[in-house]
Amino acid sequence: MMDDQRDVQIFDETKLLKIQEWDKITSELSSNGLLARALRLSDYEKGYLELLSQLTDVGNVSRHHFQERFFEMKESNSVREHYVIIVIEDLYAGKVVGTSTLFLEMKFIHDCAMRGRLEDVAVLDSYRGRKIGERIVEIIIGLARDVFGCYKLSLDCKDELIRFYEKNKFSPGSNMLCIRF
Ligand code: 16G
């Protein structure tokens, strides 16, 4: 990988600064040596996929495959953001310890509104209990509300996580059903 490609961000992370509570969120994180930022290509080496594997089966994603998917997402973001992936980095350990994706879906309804989906929330096991999940959810809510003007933000999760999301501003809405292929 060329050096100048390593720091490529999946979306323009200066948009994070528009989140209303950004200063509060970042000062809490930085007092713990943590930094919130956009996913970068080099996060493959910083444990991004191991982090996701705490959530579900990731499979065998080679660096090449990761890079291909990364640029597909980035390319689609260049027209309008769809894949707003954030990570929390432990600056001392040099690894990513938390992540989530805000997926943005264009609608015709509600005056051609944007709908946000909170996806792929993961916090490294050894970093649990430090309110990192709460900060991640706060950031995604801020992005959906303050930056991308979504009319709603929704998520699906396992039953045991419903309480966590209820404590973090979500309330029960419509049901989620799925077919597994
Ligand atoms: C959870 C995640 C979802 C993720 C899925 C993966 C949140 C809020 N929800 O539902 O984003 O894609 O798990 O599980 O993070 P799966 O492999 O069973 O689809």
Side-chain angles (χ1 to χ4, degrees):
M1 205 188 320
M2 276 156 54
D3 267 1
D4 55 347
Q5 272 199 356
R6 298 181 55 82
D7 287 337
V8 180
Q9 304 164 3
I10 198 113
F11 72 99
D12 170 15
E13 72 186 7
T14 62
K15 296 203 165 166
L16 291 166
L17 302 174
K18 295 187 193 152
I19 295 173
Q20 272 170 34
E21 304 88 356
W22 184 244
D23 291 345
K24 185 174 151 280
I25 297 170
T26 46
S27 74
E28 279 173 21
L29 287 170
S30 68
S31 65
N32 288 302
L34 303 170
L35 170 76
R37 56 168 175 78
L39 178 74
R40 294 179 190 150
L41 200 51
S42 52
D43 287 327
Y44 184 88
E45 282 76 32
K46 291 193 174 180
Y48 179 61
L49 297 180
E50 289 82 351
L51 178 57
L52 283 182
S53 73
Q54 309 238 318
L55 180 68
T56 190
D57 175 34
V58 175
N60 239 330
V61 181
S62 66
R63 152 98 77 84
H64 175 73
H65 203 172
F66 177 78
Q67 185 165 328
E68 244 176 27
R69 177 49 50 90
F70 182 99
F71 281 114
E72 273 171 345
M73 290 178 172
K74 190 173 166 55
E75 171 76 23
S76 115
N77 285 347
S78 67
V79 180
R80 184 191 265 277
E81 283 92 347
H82 296 291
Y83 301 97
V84 179
I85 307 180
I86 59 150
V87 295
I88 307 291
E89 179 175 359
D90 178 336
L91 293 168
Y92 299 116
K95 63 180 180 184
V96 287
V97 300
T99 185
S100 179
T101 299
L102 169 63
F103 177 67
L104 294 158
E105 179 189 356
M106 285 189 277
K107 295 282 197 186
F108 284 115
I109 59 172
H110 298 290
D111 284 322
C112 293
M114 296 301 288
R115 173 184 179 163
R117 292 177 192 267
L118 172 65
E119 290 283 343
D120 299 334
V121 178
V123 175
L124 216 56
D125 252 348
S126 47
Y127 285 75
R128 301 259 164 90
R130 297 206 214 168
K131 304 261 181 224
I132 295 174
E134 280 85 342
R135 298 289 90 77
I136 289 173
V137 173
E138 251 180 317
I139 293 170
I140 298 290
I141 293 174
L143 283 167
R145 185 193 55 210
D146 307 332
V147 182
F148 297 106
C150 296
Y151 83 99
K152 78 174 179 188
L153 176 65
S154 61
L155 65 93
D156 62 80
C157 68
K158 296 192 181 113
D159 288 354
E160 57 263 36
L161 285 169
I162 293 177
R163 257 188 70 70
F164 168 77
Y165 288 110
E166 282 183 338
K167 279 200 226 151
N168 287 282
K169 296 196 174 148
F170 286 83
S171 32
S174 41
N175 297 310
M176 201 281 270
L177 289 86
C178 75
I179 305 178
R180 297 251 164 199
F181 299 108

